[in-house]
Amino acid sequence: MKFKKSLITGIVASVAASALLISNTAMAQKDWPTKSITLIVPFAAGGPTDSVARLIAVPMGQSLGQTIVVENVNGAGGTIASTKVARAAPDGYTIYLHHMGMATANALYDKLPYDPLTSFEPIGQVADVPMVLLAKKDLPPKTFKELEAYIKANGAKITMANAGPGAVSQLCGLLFQSRLGVKLTNVPYKGTGPALTDLLGGQVDLLCDQTTQTIPYIKDGSVKAYGTTTLKRLPAIPNVPTLDEQGLKGFEVKVWHGLYAPKGTPKPILDKLNAALVKALNSPDVQKRLADSNIDIVPAQKMTPAGLKAHLEAEINKWGPVIRKSNIAD
Ligand code: MLT
Protein backbone atom coordinates (compact mmCIF):
# COMPACT_ATOMS: atom_id res chain seq x y z
CA MET A 1 0.00 0.00 0.00
CA LYS A 2 2.79 2.32 1.09
CA PHE A 3 4.67 1.36 -2.09
CA LYS A 4 1.60 2.13 -4.25
CA LYS A 5 1.21 5.53 -2.62
CA SER A 6 4.83 6.52 -3.20
CA LEU A 7 4.57 5.29 -6.83
CA ILE A 8 1.54 7.50 -7.45
CA THR A 9 3.27 10.46 -5.76
CA GLY A 10 6.31 9.87 -8.00
CA ILE A 11 4.20 9.72 -11.19
CA VAL A 12 2.34 12.91 -10.25
CA ALA A 13 5.64 14.69 -9.51
CA SER A 14 7.18 13.59 -12.81
CA VAL A 15 4.09 14.59 -14.85
CA ALA A 16 4.15 18.00 -13.09
CA ALA A 17 7.87 18.40 -13.85
CA SER A 18 7.31 17.53 -17.54
CA ALA A 19 4.42 19.97 -17.76
CA LEU A 20 6.61 22.68 -16.21
CA LEU A 21 9.40 21.91 -18.67
CA ILE A 22 6.99 22.06 -21.63
CA SER A 23 5.50 25.32 -20.42
CA ASN A 24 9.00 26.79 -19.80
CA THR A 25 10.05 25.75 -23.32
CA ALA A 26 6.86 27.20 -24.82
CA MET A 27 7.44 30.41 -22.85
CA ALA A 28 11.08 30.59 -24.02
CA GLN A 29 9.93 30.21 -27.64
CA LYS A 30 7.18 32.79 -27.18
CA ASP A 31 9.54 35.35 -25.61
CA TRP A 32 12.40 34.66 -28.03
CA PRO A 33 14.63 36.57 -28.60
CA THR A 34 15.62 37.88 -25.18
CA LYS A 35 19.30 38.42 -26.02
CA SER A 36 21.49 39.07 -29.07
CA ILE A 37 21.61 36.51 -31.89
CA THR A 38 24.85 35.33 -33.52
CA LEU A 39 24.87 35.18 -37.33
CA ILE A 40 27.75 32.97 -38.44
CA VAL A 41 29.43 33.71 -41.78
CA PRO A 42 31.80 31.08 -43.22
CA PHE A 43 34.30 33.50 -44.83
CA ALA A 44 36.51 36.45 -43.89
CA ALA A 45 35.14 39.85 -42.88
CA GLY A 46 35.01 42.36 -45.71
CA GLY A 47 34.18 39.72 -48.34
CA PRO A 48 30.99 39.18 -50.35
CA THR A 49 29.24 36.72 -47.99
CA ASP A 50 30.09 38.92 -45.01
CA SER A 51 28.61 41.95 -46.82
CA VAL A 52 25.31 40.20 -47.60
CA ALA A 53 25.15 39.01 -43.96
CA ARG A 54 25.76 42.49 -42.54
CA LEU A 55 23.21 43.97 -44.94
CA ILE A 56 20.40 41.74 -43.63
CA ALA A 57 21.61 41.57 -39.99
CA VAL A 58 20.69 45.17 -39.16
CA PRO A 59 17.07 45.25 -40.43
CA MET A 60 16.40 41.69 -39.19
CA GLY A 61 17.68 42.68 -35.74
CA GLN A 62 15.43 45.76 -35.78
CA SER A 63 12.37 43.61 -36.59
CA LEU A 64 13.22 41.10 -33.86
CA GLY A 65 14.10 43.72 -31.24
CA GLN A 66 17.60 42.35 -30.62
CA THR A 67 21.03 42.92 -32.12
CA ILE A 68 22.29 40.36 -34.63
CA VAL A 69 26.05 40.02 -34.23
CA VAL A 70 28.00 38.73 -37.25
CA GLU A 71 30.75 36.20 -36.43
CA ASN A 72 33.24 35.21 -39.16
CA VAL A 73 34.28 31.57 -38.83
CA ASN A 74 36.82 31.25 -41.63
CA GLY A 75 38.57 28.36 -43.27
CA ALA A 76 38.24 25.18 -45.32
CA GLY A 77 35.88 26.80 -47.83
CA GLY A 78 33.11 27.25 -45.26
CA THR A 79 33.08 23.71 -43.85
CA ILE A 80 34.50 24.76 -40.44
CA ALA A 81 31.62 27.20 -39.97
CA SER A 82 29.04 24.64 -41.18
CA THR A 83 30.38 22.11 -38.64
CA LYS A 84 30.17 24.70 -35.85
CA VAL A 85 26.57 25.60 -36.70
CA ALA A 86 25.52 21.94 -37.04
CA ARG A 87 26.78 21.41 -33.45
CA ALA A 88 25.34 24.64 -31.98
CA ALA A 89 22.37 24.70 -29.56
CA PRO A 90 19.11 24.80 -31.55
CA ASP A 91 17.69 27.68 -29.51
CA GLY A 92 17.43 30.41 -32.15
CA TYR A 93 20.51 32.28 -30.90
CA THR A 94 22.75 30.88 -33.64
CA ILE A 95 21.85 31.37 -37.30
CA TYR A 96 23.94 30.88 -40.41
CA LEU A 97 24.31 32.54 -43.80
CA HIS A 98 26.05 30.39 -46.41
CA HIS A 99 26.12 30.46 -50.19
CA MET A 100 26.00 27.63 -52.73
CA GLY A 101 29.07 26.08 -51.06
CA MET A 102 26.46 24.37 -48.90
CA ALA A 103 25.52 22.35 -52.00
CA THR A 104 28.98 21.73 -53.46
CA ALA A 105 30.95 20.75 -50.31
CA ASN A 106 29.69 17.13 -50.35
CA ALA A 107 31.21 16.55 -53.78
CA LEU A 108 34.45 18.36 -52.93
CA TYR A 109 35.21 16.77 -49.54
CA ASP A 110 35.49 13.03 -48.85
CA LYS A 111 33.72 13.08 -45.52
CA LEU A 112 32.00 15.99 -43.84
CA PRO A 113 30.99 15.96 -40.14
CA TYR A 114 27.56 17.34 -41.13
CA ASP A 115 24.91 16.71 -43.76
CA PRO A 116 23.79 19.84 -45.67
CA LEU A 117 20.24 18.46 -45.96
CA THR A 118 19.68 17.08 -42.45
CA SER A 119 21.92 19.03 -40.04
CA PHE A 120 20.22 22.42 -40.53
CA GLU A 121 16.78 24.02 -40.56
CA PRO A 122 16.36 26.11 -43.73
CA ILE A 123 14.91 29.59 -43.06
CA GLY A 124 14.84 31.10 -46.55
CA GLN A 125 16.84 31.87 -49.65
CA VAL A 126 18.36 35.34 -49.72
CA ALA A 127 19.92 36.55 -52.99
CA ASP A 128 21.68 35.51 -56.21
CA VAL A 129 25.07 37.08 -56.94
CA PRO A 130 26.83 36.96 -60.34
CA MET A 131 30.60 36.52 -60.68
CA VAL A 132 33.29 38.15 -62.81
CA LEU A 133 36.67 36.87 -63.97
CA LEU A 134 39.11 39.52 -62.75
CA ALA A 135 42.82 40.17 -63.13
CA LYS A 136 45.33 42.55 -61.58
CA LYS A 137 45.29 45.77 -63.58
CA ASP A 138 48.71 45.35 -65.22
CA LEU A 139 48.25 41.77 -66.46
CA PRO A 140 49.28 42.15 -70.16
CA PRO A 141 46.26 40.63 -72.07
CA LYS A 142 43.77 43.28 -73.17
CA THR A 143 40.96 40.93 -74.22
CA PHE A 144 39.68 37.50 -73.24
CA LYS A 145 41.14 36.01 -76.45
CA GLU A 146 44.56 37.43 -75.54
CA LEU A 147 44.12 36.09 -72.01
CA GLU A 148 43.51 32.56 -73.35
CA ALA A 149 46.75 32.72 -75.37
CA TYR A 150 48.66 34.21 -72.42
CA ILE A 151 47.39 31.46 -70.08
CA LYS A 152 48.33 28.72 -72.56
CA ALA A 153 51.83 30.19 -72.93
CA ASN A 154 52.48 30.72 -69.20
CA GLY A 155 50.46 27.94 -67.46
CA ALA A 156 51.42 27.44 -63.81
CA LYS A 157 53.44 30.69 -63.74
CA ILE A 158 50.04 32.39 -63.46
CA THR A 159 48.47 32.59 -60.00
CA MET A 160 44.73 32.41 -59.36
CA ALA A 161 43.31 33.30 -55.94
CA ASN A 162 40.36 31.52 -54.29
CA ALA A 163 38.78 30.99 -50.87
CA GLY A 164 39.45 27.23 -50.60
CA PRO A 165 37.53 24.05 -51.56
CA GLY A 166 33.84 24.76 -51.06
CA ALA A 167 34.25 28.43 -52.00
CA VAL A 168 32.59 29.63 -55.19
CA SER A 169 35.77 31.45 -56.24
CA GLN A 170 37.51 28.08 -56.24
CA LEU A 171 34.68 26.36 -58.10
CA CYS A 172 34.59 29.13 -60.73
CA GLY A 173 38.40 29.21 -61.06
CA LEU A 174 38.69 25.45 -61.46
CA LEU A 175 35.79 25.20 -63.91
CA PHE A 176 37.49 27.95 -65.93
CA GLN A 177 40.82 26.06 -65.93
CA SER A 178 39.06 22.81 -66.78
CA ARG A 179 37.32 24.47 -69.79
CA LEU A 180 40.66 25.86 -71.01
CA GLY A 181 42.46 22.57 -70.30
CA VAL A 182 45.14 24.28 -68.14
CA LYS A 183 46.37 24.11 -64.55
CA LEU A 184 47.32 27.44 -62.97
CA THR A 185 48.85 27.93 -59.51
CA ASN A 186 45.82 28.21 -57.24
CA VAL A 187 46.34 30.33 -54.11
CA PRO A 188 43.84 29.78 -51.24
CA TYR A 189 42.71 32.61 -48.93
CA LYS A 190 40.24 32.69 -46.03
CA GLY A 191 37.76 34.60 -48.18
CA THR A 192 37.73 36.65 -51.34
CA GLY A 193 37.86 39.86 -49.25
CA PRO A 194 41.61 39.32 -48.56
CA ALA A 195 42.07 37.78 -52.05
CA LEU A 196 40.68 40.94 -53.69
CA THR A 197 43.03 43.07 -51.56
CA ASP A 198 45.97 41.08 -52.96
CA LEU A 199 44.61 41.33 -56.52
CA LEU A 200 44.37 45.11 -56.13
CA GLY A 201 47.94 45.12 -54.77
CA GLY A 202 49.15 43.04 -57.74
CA GLN A 203 50.34 40.08 -55.57
CA VAL A 204 48.11 37.62 -57.44
CA ASP A 205 47.13 37.51 -61.14
CA LEU A 206 43.53 36.25 -61.40
CA LEU A 207 40.42 35.89 -59.24
CA CYS A 208 36.88 34.84 -60.06
CA ASP A 209 34.84 36.87 -57.57
CA GLN A 210 31.27 37.90 -56.88
CA THR A 211 30.08 41.35 -57.95
CA THR A 212 29.25 42.34 -54.35
CA GLN A 213 32.48 44.32 -53.83
CA THR A 214 34.05 44.35 -57.26
CA ILE A 215 31.95 46.70 -59.43
CA PRO A 216 33.54 50.00 -58.23
CA TYR A 217 37.05 48.57 -58.85
CA ILE A 218 36.08 47.40 -62.35
CA LYS A 219 34.61 50.81 -63.14
CA ASP A 220 37.63 52.80 -61.94
CA GLY A 221 40.13 50.45 -63.62
CA SER A 222 41.79 49.18 -60.40
CA VAL A 223 41.21 45.64 -61.73
CA LYS A 224 40.62 44.17 -65.20
CA ALA A 225 37.38 42.29 -65.90
CA TYR A 226 37.61 39.68 -68.70
CA GLY A 227 34.09 38.27 -68.52
CA THR A 228 31.01 37.61 -66.40
CA THR A 229 29.79 34.16 -65.39
CA THR A 230 26.24 35.02 -66.47
CA LEU A 231 24.52 34.25 -69.76
CA LYS A 232 23.46 37.90 -70.13
CA ARG A 233 25.62 41.00 -69.60
CA LEU A 234 25.19 42.77 -66.27
CA PRO A 235 23.46 46.19 -66.27
CA ALA A 236 26.03 47.68 -63.85
CA ILE A 237 28.99 46.76 -66.15
CA PRO A 238 27.46 46.52 -69.66
CA ASN A 239 30.85 46.77 -71.39
CA VAL A 240 32.11 43.54 -69.82
CA PRO A 241 31.16 40.63 -72.12
CA THR A 242 29.98 37.30 -70.73
CA LEU A 243 32.39 34.35 -70.80
CA ASP A 244 29.66 32.49 -72.71
CA GLU A 245 29.65 35.01 -75.59
CA GLN A 246 33.47 34.85 -75.75
CA GLY A 247 33.55 31.14 -76.44
CA LEU A 248 33.03 29.40 -73.07
CA LYS A 249 29.52 28.29 -74.05
CA GLY A 250 27.17 27.75 -71.12
CA PHE A 251 29.69 28.99 -68.52
CA GLU A 252 27.31 30.06 -65.77
CA VAL A 253 27.91 30.37 -62.02
CA LYS A 254 25.34 32.32 -60.01
CA VAL A 255 25.97 32.39 -56.29
CA TRP A 256 22.80 31.88 -54.27
CA HIS A 257 22.67 32.42 -50.50
CA GLY A 258 20.54 30.75 -47.84
CA LEU A 259 19.81 31.43 -44.18
CA TYR A 260 19.81 28.42 -41.82
CA ALA A 261 19.56 27.46 -38.13
CA PRO A 262 20.84 24.31 -36.39
CA LYS A 263 18.60 21.23 -36.76
CA GLY A 264 15.91 21.16 -34.07
CA THR A 265 15.42 24.92 -33.77
CA PRO A 266 11.72 25.23 -32.81
CA LYS A 267 9.27 26.12 -35.58
CA PRO A 268 7.85 29.25 -33.84
CA ILE A 269 11.40 30.67 -33.78
CA LEU A 270 12.05 29.70 -37.41
CA ASP A 271 8.79 31.44 -38.37
CA LYS A 272 9.88 34.65 -36.63
CA LEU A 273 13.29 34.48 -38.32
CA ASN A 274 11.71 33.94 -41.72
CA ALA A 275 9.30 36.88 -41.23
CA ALA A 276 12.25 39.13 -40.26
CA LEU A 277 14.25 37.95 -43.31
CA VAL A 278 11.37 38.59 -45.74
CA LYS A 279 10.78 42.05 -44.25
CA ALA A 280 14.50 42.91 -44.54
CA LEU A 281 14.70 41.76 -48.17
CA ASN A 282 11.64 43.79 -49.08
CA SER A 283 12.94 47.02 -47.56
CA PRO A 284 13.73 49.66 -50.23
CA ASP A 285 17.15 50.38 -48.67
CA VAL A 286 18.29 46.73 -48.84
CA GLN A 287 16.86 46.38 -52.37
CA LYS A 288 18.75 49.44 -53.58
CA ARG A 289 22.04 48.33 -52.05
CA LEU A 290 21.69 44.87 -53.60
CA ALA A 291 20.74 46.28 -57.01
CA ASP A 292 23.82 48.57 -57.00
CA SER A 293 25.98 45.41 -56.89
CA ASN A 294 23.85 43.60 -59.50
CA ILE A 295 22.60 41.20 -56.81
CA ASP A 296 19.14 39.74 -57.50
CA ILE A 297 16.59 39.26 -54.75
CA VAL A 298 14.98 35.84 -55.08
CA PRO A 299 11.22 35.43 -55.78
CA ALA A 300 8.95 35.28 -52.71
CA GLN A 301 8.39 31.50 -52.92
CA LYS A 302 12.15 30.93 -52.54
CA MET A 303 12.37 33.12 -49.41
CA THR A 304 10.69 30.30 -47.47
CA PRO A 305 12.05 27.22 -45.63
CA ALA A 306 10.48 24.94 -48.28
CA GLY A 307 11.85 27.12 -51.10
CA LEU A 308 15.40 26.99 -49.71
CA LYS A 309 15.22 23.24 -49.02
CA ALA A 310 14.04 22.48 -52.57
CA HIS A 311 16.72 24.74 -54.04
CA LEU A 312 19.47 23.16 -51.92
CA GLU A 313 18.42 19.67 -53.03
CA ALA A 314 18.34 20.72 -56.68
CA GLU A 315 21.78 22.37 -56.42
CA ILE A 316 23.34 19.30 -54.74
CA ASN A 317 22.02 17.21 -57.64
CA LYS A 318 23.23 19.76 -60.20
CA TRP A 319 26.79 20.39 -58.93
CA GLY A 320 27.77 16.86 -57.81
CA PRO A 321 28.03 15.51 -61.41
CA VAL A 322 29.61 18.75 -62.74
CA ILE A 323 32.33 18.65 -60.06
CA ARG A 324 33.01 14.94 -60.58
CA LYS A 325 33.09 15.29 -64.39
CA SER A 326 35.53 18.20 -64.25
CA ASN A 327 37.82 16.32 -61.81
CA ILE A 328 38.11 19.57 -59.84
CA ALA A 329 37.85 17.80 -56.49
CA ASP A 330 41.16 15.94 -57.14
C1 MLT B 1 33.62 35.20 -49.43
O1 MLT B 1 32.71 35.72 -48.81
O2 MLT B 1 34.81 35.38 -49.15
C2 MLT B 1 33.30 34.37 -50.64
O3 MLT B 1 31.94 34.13 -50.74
C3 MLT B 1 34.19 33.21 -50.75
C4 MLT B 1 33.93 32.39 -51.97
O4 MLT B 1 33.10 31.50 -51.89
O5 MLT B 1 34.56 32.58 -52.99
Side-chain angles (χ1 to χ4, degrees):
M1 204 58 172
K2 208 169 170 194
F3 168 73
K4 234 181 178 175
K5 195 173 167 203
S6 74
L7 183 68
I8 290 166
T9 315
I11 290 170
V12 169
S14 114
V15 168
S18 306
L20 189 67
L21 193 68
I22 290 167
S23 91
N24 281 347
T25 310
M27 191 72 86
Q29 290 171 18
K30 193 167 156 282
D31 291 348
W32 178 93
T34 55
K35 58 178 183 176
S36 65
I37 298 164
T38 300
L39 170 55
I40 293 189
V41 171
F43 297 102
T49 317
D50 181 69
S51 300
V52 173
R54 287 175 200 274
L55 192 60
I56 59 169
V58 175
M60 280 186 70
Q62 281 162 355
S63 298
L64 294 167
Q66 289 290 342
T67 309
I68 298 188
V69 181
V70 173
E71 182 186 334
N72 301 86
V73 179
N74 313 324
T79 55
I80 294 175
S82 298
T83 305
K84 180 168 175 163
V85 175
R87 291 176 180 161
D91 55 9
Y93 292 102
T94 302
I95 54 175
Y96 186 35
L97 183 85
H98 197 356
H99 59 34
M100 58 187 271
M102 193 69 139
T104 57
N106 259 355
L108 291 165
Y109 286 84
D110 276 348
K111 208 166 166 10
L112 289 172
Y114 62 88
D115 180 334
L117 282 171
T118 58
S119 303
F120 307 94
E121 302 287 353
I123 295 168
Q125 213 183 308
V126 179
D128 286 334
V129 189
M131 301 190 84
V132 200
L133 177 64
L134 302 171
K136 63 180 183 185
K137 68 172 189 285
D138 51 4
L139 200 76
K142 291 193 184 58
T143 62
F144 181 69
K145 279 280 158 264
E146 286 182 24
L147 177 70
E148 279 186 281
Y150 182 80
I151 283 178
K152 286 192 175 140
N154 291 284
K157 283 193 211 141
I158 298 170
T159 51
M160 184 158 202
N162 67 54
V168 284
S169 45
Q170 198 226 26
L171 178 72
C172 177
L174 294 183
L175 283 175
F176 172 70
Q177 292 168 51
S178 147
R179 289 291 295 265
L180 259 53
V182 292
K183 265 200 191 311
L184 308 179
T185 298
N186 295 298
V187 186
Y189 288 78
K190 288 192 185 303
T192 54
L196 181 61
T197 304
D198 271 11
L199 191 80
L200 288 162
Q203 284 94 345
V204 66
D205 298 321
L206 295 171
L207 167 67
C208 188
D209 200 6
Q210 295 159 67
T211 52
T212 321
Q213 254 96 26
T214 50
I215 287 182
Y217 298 118
I218 297 170
K219 284 186 169 164
D220 74 7
S222 316
V223 292
K224 271 186 178 156
Y226 287 112
T228 66
T229 67
T230 46
L231 299 183
K232 282 194 184 143
R233 291 191 186 201
L234 299 174
I237 40 173
N239 296 333
V240 179
T242 68
L243 291 172
D244 172 86
E245 77 186 75
Q246 298 180 95
L248 296 189
K249 283 282 152 237
F251 196 103
E252 187 182 25
V253 187
K254 254 188 154 187
V255 188
W256 57 273
H257 294 69
L259 190 67
Y260 307 83
K263 186 79 194 169
T265 304
K267 180 151 185 325
I269 293 179
L270 295 173
D271 289 345
K272 286 187 195 173
L273 282 163
N274 177 265
L277 173 67
V278 171
K279 193 169 170 207
L281 290 175
N282 282 312
S283 90
D285 176 49
V286 169
Q287 296 207 339
K288 178 174 179 333
R289 289 168 69 188
L290 292 175
D292 287 347
S293 299
N294 254 170
I295 298 176
D296 294 330
I297 306 227
V298 298
Q301 72 271 18
K302 290 198 164 190
M303 279 181 209
T304 59
L308 174 56
K309 186 168 181 280
H311 191 73
L312 176 62
E313 267 166 5
E315 286 282 294
I316 290 173
N317 293 335
K318 170 182 163 183
W319 284 106
V322 175
I323 290 167
R324 282 185 279 276
K325 195 167 152 228
S326 319
N327 291 329
I328 62 177
D330 299 347

